[in-house]
Amino acid sequence: MAVKIDLIHIVSEAGLMVQFVLLLLLFFSVMSWAIIIIKSRYIKRAFNESAEFTDFFWKSRDLSNAFAKAKQLHGSPLARIFRIGYVELKKTSQSGNQAVASASGGSSLSLNARFTGTDNVKRALRRAINTEMTRMTQMVPFLATTGNTAPFIGLFGTVWGIMNSFHGIGQKGSASLAVVAPGISEALVATAAGLAAAIPAVIAFNYFMNKIRTVESELQSFSADFLNIIE
C-alpha cells in the first residue's frame, strides 16, 4: 500500500508535461489490453470452430450438409470462406447448365463453362481469404504502434524530468538530494510506464501475428483442397 501511495504522490507532484506523458501512456496501455482481450477471444473462437468445421467437412460426403454446418459456425473463418465458395459454385453450376441446355454443340461449351466456373470459385475464395485476413489483423497494428512508441514517449518524460532536475539545481545553486530527487523520480516513473505499456503489447503482437499466419496457412490449404474436390 505504501508503494501505491508514493507513486500517486509522485505523479500528483509531477510537472504538467510529465503528467501528460503518463496520461498518454495510460491511454496506450488501456487500449492495448482491451485489444489483447478482444483478439484473444476472437482467435480462440476462430481456432475452435474451424477445427470443428474441418472435422465435420471431411467426415461429410455432401457439400450441402457441410454448408448447413458452416452457417452455424459464425466465428470460423474457414466456414465463412467455404460458404462463399459453395454459393459461388452453385451460381456457376446453374448458369453453366442453363448455357449448355440452350446451346448446340454442347460438349465444348460445357468444358468452357466448367473452366469458367472453377475460375469464378477460385477468385471468390481468394477474395474471401483476403477479407478474413483483414478481419483477423484488425486492431493488431495498434499493438505494434504501442510497442514501438511507448518506450520513446517514456524516454521523453525521462528527459523532461532530468531537465527539471538540472533547472532546480541551477535555481537553488546546490546539487543536494532534495533538489535532484523529485525530477529523477518523475523520470523513472515515466520510463517505467513506457516499458509497462510496451512490453505486453510487443508480446501480444508477436503472438497474434503467429496465430494469424497459422490461420492464413489453413485457409490457403483448405481453399486448395476445396478446389480439387470441385474440379
Side-chain angles (χ1 to χ4, degrees):
M1 182 63 68
V3 175
K4 293 182 180 179
I5 294 175
D6 288 342
L7 285 176
I8 293 173
H9 177 72
I10 290 172
V11 173
S12 62
E13 294 296 323
L16 290 177
M17 181 58 69
V18 176
Q19 288 181 346
F20 172 75
V21 167
L22 293 175
L23 186 63
L24 186 60
L25 291 173
L26 178 63
F27 165 77
F28 275 103
S29 182
V30 170
M31 290 296 297
S32 295
W33 279 108
I35 292 171
I36 289 171
I37 294 172
I38 292 171
K39 298 303 290 186
S40 295
R41 292 179 177 177
Y42 180 85
I43 290 177
K44 182 180 179 181
R45 183 183 179 189
F47 268 86
N48 292 338
E49 293 193 4
S50 293
E52 181 181 353
F53 175 75
T54 301
D55 185 61
F56 182 88
F57 177 81
W58 291 114
K59 288 181 179 179
S60 175
R61 296 186 178 182
D62 191 350
L63 292 180
S64 60
N65 291 337
F67 180 73
K69 181 66 174 179
K71 290 195 293 186
Q72 301 174 5
L73 302 175
H74 301 287
S76 170
L78 209 63
R80 283 194 291 266
I81 69 163
F82 171 76
R83 291 202 304 267
I84 292 173
Y86 181 80
V87 170
E88 186 65 29
L89 177 63
K90 287 192 69 175
K91 288 180 182 178
T92 54
S93 297
Q94 291 171 358
S95 62
N97 291 337
Q98 291 174 358
V100 170
S102 61
S104 59
S107 59
S108 72
L109 182 59
S110 175
L111 187 61
N112 291 334
R114 182 179 301 175
F115 281 118
T116 302
T118 303
D119 288 340
N120 290 341
V121 174
K122 189 180 297 183
R123 283 193 294 268
L125 289 173
R126 191 183 305 117
R127 288 194 301 268
I129 291 174
N130 292 335
T131 301
E132 290 301 324
M133 286 300 98
T134 301
R135 183 177 297 167
M136 291 286 289
T137 56
Q138 206 169 22
M139 298 186 294
V140 174
F142 185 86
L143 298 176
T145 301
T146 300
N148 289 329
T149 59
F152 293 104
I153 295 174
L155 181 61
F156 175 77
T158 299
V159 173
W160 194 270
I162 293 175
M163 286 171 56
N164 283 339
S165 297
F166 282 108
H167 182 68
I169 293 173
Q171 281 187 330
K172 295 189 177 182
S174 65
S176 65
L177 186 62
V179 175
V180 177
I184 298 299
S185 63
E186 293 175 11
L188 294 176
V189 169
T191 302
L195 293 175
I199 291 173
V202 171
I203 294 173
F205 175 79
N206 292 331
Y207 172 79
F208 289 144
M209 291 307 297
N210 181 55
K211 291 293 184 180
I212 289 169
R213 283 192 291 268
T214 301
V215 171
E216 183 179 12
S217 176
E218 291 180 354
L219 294 179
Q220 295 287 356
S221 298
F222 178 81
S223 175
D225 292 338
F226 180 64
L227 286 172
N228 288 335
I229 291 172
I230 65 176
E231 285 176 352

